[in-house]
Amino acid sequence: MSPHADVRASGDADGGNYSPASVFFLELAISLVMRSPERAPAIWPSIERSFQRMLEYADVLHHFSLERAVSGLLGMAVKILECCSEHESAARETTIPLLELIERILRCLGLLRDARDSTFDAVASQLAVGIERLVDTDAKTLLSVPTNWDILRSLLKRLAHTQDTALVQTGGDTARRSLAVLVEIVILLKCGAIEPALYFADVLDTLSAFMPSDRALAASSSPLSVGAKDGTAAAGRMSAVETASKLIVLLHDLQDIAKSRLADNDSASSPAALTTSPITAGRQLLPRAHTEPSVTSMVSAPLSILRLTKSSPLSMWISVMNALTAYVCAGNREVRQLACSYIQRALSTNLQSVNWVTGAFHR
């Protein structure tokens, strides 16, 4: 059977059509790229359409075929990214075709965003493992192409929706691997490897998507023996609390990023501003809060202005505080206490900045 066979044909109950010939063809092509990633730009055009067709009709594809396609695409992307890292000191003309190829591979994977929940859940584990490997290989080079982050972010948010299922069935392995990706992104933000103004809001939005449901957190408060015939439920409950705790810590790291940007702004201020008294500075900030753009004005404002508004240190800090307050009402006492402690720490630390606190509470 041709590798371009119609994947829309009717299939079995395990997910859809299964063509051994198509799987063999794709595995052969994947092995060629894996062995010689520097030749991938010459190989990819002949197999790109086959992968696109498979993922376009993923809902009617056999789950085994889909798993092999997703694992193969991510494996090729990792190998090509490794090749880019090895040739980092070489001419830019050498790495640009490889980076463009990674983007095209991720665009194929991005087709899964429109798949049914049952289809996406079937490859959630492969996606989490592959994305984690990809980011661990060279996150800075990977994110040098903005489209790559847009695709990865949408896939991570889709993985967050499968979190409750993953916590029960696999002990939260999918959630942990997805969070490991976000940890790496936050580290890049803290060290200044990527621009916070471009990634801060997206990272915060993705972290919020991974917040465990109240049902999952509240279940951790019940006795272990109630309704638990084995250790699976217990592992899921522990994973829900662990996930929430990691999210709170990551939110605290984002607050540190906002505070560091405030310090940079203060150090770059004029000498006249440095001699202003705290009380006068606080009074000078109030009119700015009164004249902040309204919702209607922000809708019609250019995208660049909206990004500047959202990326100001004060806006970053308030956004993280709002995200932390969601955990204060969580269904688990341990999570509530941890969230309250970080909120108290943030308030006590930033009370040293009269300008910032005055503007924050005036908002």
Side-chain angles (χ1 to χ4, degrees):
M1 182 179 293
S2 170
H4 299 282
D6 191 356
V7 298
R8 292 170 290 180
S10 59
D12 54 28
D14 291 332
N17 181 62
Y18 174 65
S19 172
S22 297
V23 175
F24 174 77
F25 167 78
L26 294 176
E27 293 281 3
L28 184 63
I30 291 169
S31 64
L32 291 176
V33 175
M34 299 285 280
R35 291 181 180 180
S36 303
E38 67 279 355
R39 300 176 58 187
I43 301 173
W44 176 253
S46 62
I47 62 176
E48 181 177 15
R49 182 54 184 164
S50 297
F51 279 107
Q52 286 179 345
R53 286 179 62 84
M54 292 183 71
L55 297 179
E56 283 175 358
Y57 301 103
D59 290 333
V60 295
L61 196 66
H62 194 279
H63 287 171
F64 176 76
S65 301
L66 186 59
E67 290 173 4
R68 297 310 306 158
V70 171
S71 299
L73 285 170
L74 287 168
M76 287 191 296
V78 170
K79 282 293 184 180
I80 296 172
L81 187 57
E82 290 177 351
C83 187
C84 289
S85 301
E86 293 173 359
H87 297 83
E88 185 177 3
S89 58
R92 184 172 177 81
E93 292 76 11
T94 305
T95 59
I96 287 181
L98 297 177
L99 289 175
E100 292 177 348
L101 182 54
I102 294 174
E103 180 185 2
R104 292 168 68 177
I105 292 175
L106 291 180
R107 285 184 182 275
C108 286
L109 290 168
L111 295 173
L112 291 172
R113 293 174 292 187
D114 300 325
R116 291 198 301 256
D117 290 340
S118 58
T119 303
F120 192 89
D121 292 349
V123 294
S125 178
Q126 287 79 9
L127 280 172
V129 172
I131 293 176
E132 182 186 24
R133 289 182 56 202
L134 194 60
V135 172
D136 286 342
T137 301
D138 192 347
K140 183 178 179 180
T141 302
L142 178 66
L143 298 182
S144 63
V145 181
T147 307
N148 292 346
W149 166 244
D150 293 335
I151 298 172
L152 293 178
R153 176 173 60 90
S154 61
L155 290 174
L156 287 172
K157 292 182 68 174
R158 188 73 191 273
L159 286 171
H161 293 306
T162 64
Q163 180 184 15
D164 288 339
T165 303
L167 288 174
V168 175
Q169 294 180 352
T170 65
D173 184 67
T174 300
R176 280 194 291 267
R177 291 184 180 277
S178 301
L179 286 179
V181 174
L182 295 174
V183 168
E184 185 67 25
I185 303 300
V186 172
I187 291 175
L188 292 178
L189 286 172
K190 293 185 70 174
C191 67
I194 57 179
E195 177 56 41
L198 300 178
Y199 293 92
F200 189 93
D202 289 341
V203 172
L204 180 59
D205 180 57
T206 308
L207 287 174
S208 300
F210 276 91
M211 179 179 178
S213 63
D214 289 338
R215 177 181 58 83
L217 290 173
S220 300
S221 302
S222 61
L224 198 61
S225 58
V226 177
K229 296 181 180 180
D230 50 30
T232 305
R237 293 167 188 168
M238 291 176 62
S239 297
V241 176
E242 180 186 4
T243 300
S245 301
K246 288 183 178 180
L247 287 169
I248 293 174
V249 174
L250 287 175
L251 291 175
H252 176 69
D253 291 338
L254 290 181
Q255 278 192 324
D256 289 340
I257 295 172
K259 288 188 291 185
S260 64
R261 288 178 65 84
L262 176 67
D264 294 340
N265 292 347
D266 289 343
S267 61
S269 59
S270 61
L274 294 177
T275 58
T276 305
S277 64
I279 298 177
T280 306
R283 290 175 179 172
Q284 291 176 348
L285 185 61
L286 293 179
R288 299 183 184 180
H290 280 296
T291 58
E292 284 184 352
S294 62
V295 175
T296 55
S297 63
M298 291 184 68
V299 170
S300 59
L303 181 60
S304 58
I305 296 179
L306 296 181
R307 285 183 175 179
L308 288 174
T309 303
K310 292 182 179 180
S311 61
S312 66
L314 179 58
S315 298
M316 291 179 177
W317 187 80
I318 292 178
S319 299
V320 178
M321 287 292 287
N322 290 333
L324 282 173
T325 55
Y327 293 88
V328 176
C329 302
N332 181 271
R333 181 178 180 181
E334 180 183 348
V335 173
R336 293 196 301 268
Q337 290 178 341
L338 184 63
C340 289
S341 64
Y342 275 108
I343 290 176
Q344 182 180 8
R345 185 183 307 177
L347 291 174
S348 61
T349 302
N350 289 285
L351 283 177
Q352 301 173 2
S353 175
V354 177
N355 292 12
W356 205 1
V357 174
T358 303
F361 281 96
H362 186 75
R363 277 186 168 185

